[in-house]
Amino acid sequence: MIFLSDFQKKIIGFDFILDKLSLSSCYGKDKIKKIRPYEIEDKDLLILELSNIKIIIDNYDEFKGEFQALQSYFKKLRNIRGSLKKIEHYPLDEVELFEIKSFLFINEDIFDIFKKIKHLNLFNINFLSLKEALDILDIDKRRVASFYISELYSDRLKKIRALKRDIEDAIILNRHSSKVDELRNRRHKIVNLEEEEELKVKEEIAKKLRPYLEVFKKNIESMANFDLIFAKANLAKEYDCTYPNINDSNMVYFKDVYNPEVYEILKSRNRKFTPLTIELKRGTTFLTGANMGGKSVAIKTFVLNIFLLHMGFFVFAKEASICMFQHIHLISEDMQSISTGLSTFGAEIIKFNEIINDVNHGFAFVCLDEFARGTNPHEGAIIVKSIGEYLNSKLSITLMSTHYDNVADEKFNHYQVAGLKNSEFKKNKKLNPEDYLNLISQYMDYKIIKIENNESVPKDALNICRLLGLSSDILCAIEENYIKGDINEFK
């Protein structure tokens, strides 16, 4: 199973999602570091994960106090996994026993709170009482979080410490006497006996705690699971995300899907993300449109949300129906390999060879963003169309974006970026560089439209030249060449 590199996860916006998760416990934070995609054979587990998120959202208002109290206790937890592993074979020191005792106090509070929401039947989340383990460490029943080796653990320890106190008192009374050295030697021997007896007590405590280790571990796993589920639910609530339907029809459907990272960037600039609607079926779908029309953002939006499903998240859309994949691949504009000296095109070909193997041995989602942009337009168009034809016959779903003309014929599904809305633009001779994107955004329609026949890519590059105030002499030359047909198009 191949599900994107760390770099690809970053460029589609998955790192942004992880950064948005508000995890409270050290165990939840450890869990998110190890998060992995659900595979096709894990579909039932994925559904249970998504159902957990829905349960939290549906019951949030009624049990808000309990949920927040759990999060508050989670923040107080310290990581005792190392101590639990050590205690399987060895005794613990007093600091480690103190940390376990503190954990047990918190565990009992969590257990009491969880009893109030246990009927919600969250999958793989349950808390058991460890009161008996707490009693082992809280032998004086004072219910104070501090820990020391109490004399209640051992009558012999009590006698040794009493003898040590007597000797220490004698040292004080005879501090100017010749007997001090003798008393100090006796104290030293008593201290050794005390340490030996304390070690025996620690060994006995470890022996008594060992039968509870599995409950410790299960409770810790439940803490991690609840913390992560609650964080996912909060994220879904914040962005009004959707519980995605998992279909068995080898198709992907999004209604008004968006990319939250791009959404936040645009929001900070007082601009809006245009939500996208698309249906992808087995075979190749082309997404066409001129450069700067939003094709790359659209590609990353679809990849991100399909990946989010496989990671057990709700998706950023009004509606979504997604099938599960064995492989997810993305080739984007970031493919140039500096270390090997390959060009962008060379790196794309190397990567595509790897994809072919996965496509032939499993159900894959393949996204190729402006593939072959690094070669001449005539060859690039031929390569793009040929790859589209090859993947069109495979048991996979492929989405290819391109600005090349005449590649998306009737054999393929075809969507197109709407593009610039107005062919008459005001002169912008004194445009400031920082205004470029705002100006293009003002005129650009980023919606994608289903194309039912073979339409050419709109000539928005020329319109962008006009919009950004390119010299009129150069514009005239470009327009004349368009009229003459001097620009070769793929036939």
Side-chain angles (χ1 to χ4, degrees), residues 284-473:
T284 300
T285 297
F286 275 104
L287 175 60
T288 60
N291 290 330
M292 303 186 74
K295 297 192 301 300
S296 292
V297 171
I299 289 283
K300 291 170 184 176
T301 297
F302 301 139
V303 174
L304 171 65
N305 281 277
I306 290 171
F307 184 65
L308 284 174
L309 164 71
H310 288 79
M311 298 298 279
F313 285 79
F314 278 22
V315 298
F316 293 76
K318 282 189 177 178
E319 294 179 24
S321 182
I322 308 168
C323 58
M324 293 189 71
F325 296 95
Q326 290 168 289
H327 312 283
I328 296 178
H329 286 290
L330 170 65
I331 295 182
S332 65
E333 72 275 12
D334 311 289
M335 287 301 301
Q336 187 165 5
S337 175
I338 298 174
S339 61
T340 61
L342 289 174
S343 66
T344 302
F345 179 63
E348 286 177 340
I349 295 302
I350 296 296
K351 180 62 180 175
F352 186 67
N353 260 333
E354 299 173 8
I355 291 175
I356 290 174
N357 181 64
D358 288 338
V359 166
N360 288 325
H361 294 90
F363 186 52
F365 180 60
V366 180
C367 272
L368 308 178
D369 183 20
E370 293 284 7
F371 194 87
R373 73 174 63 76
T375 187
N376 74 70
H378 181 70
E379 283 187 303
I382 292 173
I383 291 169
V384 167
K385 185 168 186 178
S386 299
I387 286 176
E389 289 173 343
Y390 174 81
L391 293 172
N392 204 35
S393 64
K394 298 296 180 180
L395 180 58
S396 62
I397 295 177
T398 298
L399 178 60
M400 298 181 68
S401 70
T402 185
H403 64 277
Y404 293 136
D405 266 339
N406 301 314
V407 295
D409 60 28
E410 64 281 354
K411 294 191 295 293
F412 309 107
N413 294 315
H414 183 192
Y415 285 83
Q416 189 172 92
V417 176
L420 290 172
K421 296 175 286 190
N422 195 334
S423 59
E424 296 182 3
F425 305 107
K426 298 177 182 179
K427 299 291 184 182
N428 290 285
K429 294 181 179 178
K430 296 183 179 179
L431 194 67
N432 294 321
E434 61 269 21
D435 295 328
Y436 291 162
L437 289 177
N438 286 332
L439 187 65
I440 292 171
S441 177
Q442 176 185 339
Y443 287 97
M444 186 71 74
D445 185 347
Y446 294 101
K447 291 196 299 291
I448 57 175
I449 302 166
K450 184 78 166 69
I451 303 299
E452 300 297 344
N453 49 44
N454 188 20
E455 296 184 19
S456 62
V457 178
K459 302 297 186 294
D460 278 344
L462 175 58
N463 287 332
I464 288 172
C465 292
R466 293 191 186 108
L467 180 63
L468 299 183
L470 185 64
S471 167
S472 58
D473 292 341

Side-chain angles (χ1 to χ4, degrees), residues 12-62:
I12 64 173
F14 184 65
D15 285 6
F16 173 85
I17 300 294
L18 296 184
D19 289 342
K20 291 289 289 184
L21 292 176
S22 299
L23 293 158
S24 299
S25 72
C26 52
Y27 304 117
K29 292 171 184 176
D30 282 347
K31 191 172 185 68
I32 198 64
K33 292 175 184 176
K34 301 172 184 176
I35 189 170
R36 295 291 181 270
Y38 286 88
E39 301 185 40
I40 290 177
E41 54 268 30
D42 299 327
K43 178 181 175 182
D44 290 343
L45 293 176
L46 172 57
I47 291 172
L48 290 170
E49 175 87 352
L50 296 173
S51 297
N52 273 357
I53 298 172
K54 187 175 187 302
I55 289 170
I56 296 293
I57 293 172
D58 291 347
N59 293 277
Y60 186 86
D61 291 336
E62 183 177 355

Side-chain angles (χ1 to χ4, degrees), residues 136-199:
I136 294 169
L137 295 177
D138 191 42
I139 195 168
D140 57 9
K141 302 296 189 293
R142 293 171 57 209
R143 287 304 187 251
V144 176
S146 61
F147 180 82
Y148 71 103
I149 302 298
S150 169
E151 295 168 6
L152 295 174
Y153 284 110
S154 165
D155 288 338
R156 184 167 184 268
L157 180 62
K158 182 178 181 180
K159 293 175 182 177
I160 291 171
R161 285 180 176 171
L163 181 57
K164 186 178 75 170
R165 286 193 292 272
D166 290 343
I167 294 172
E168 289 171 344
D169 290 343
I171 290 173
I172 293 172
L173 292 173
N174 295 276
R175 61 183 178 275
H176 300 303
S177 168
S178 59
K179 293 183 178 180
V180 168
D181 288 341
E182 178 188 347
L183 290 168
R184 284 175 177 167
N185 287 334
R186 287 180 62 194
R187 182 186 180 280
H188 179 71
K189 291 177 181 178
I190 292 297
V191 167
N192 287 338
L193 292 175
E194 181 185 29
E195 290 176 352
E196 289 174 3
E197 187 61 22
E198 285 180 349
L199 179 58

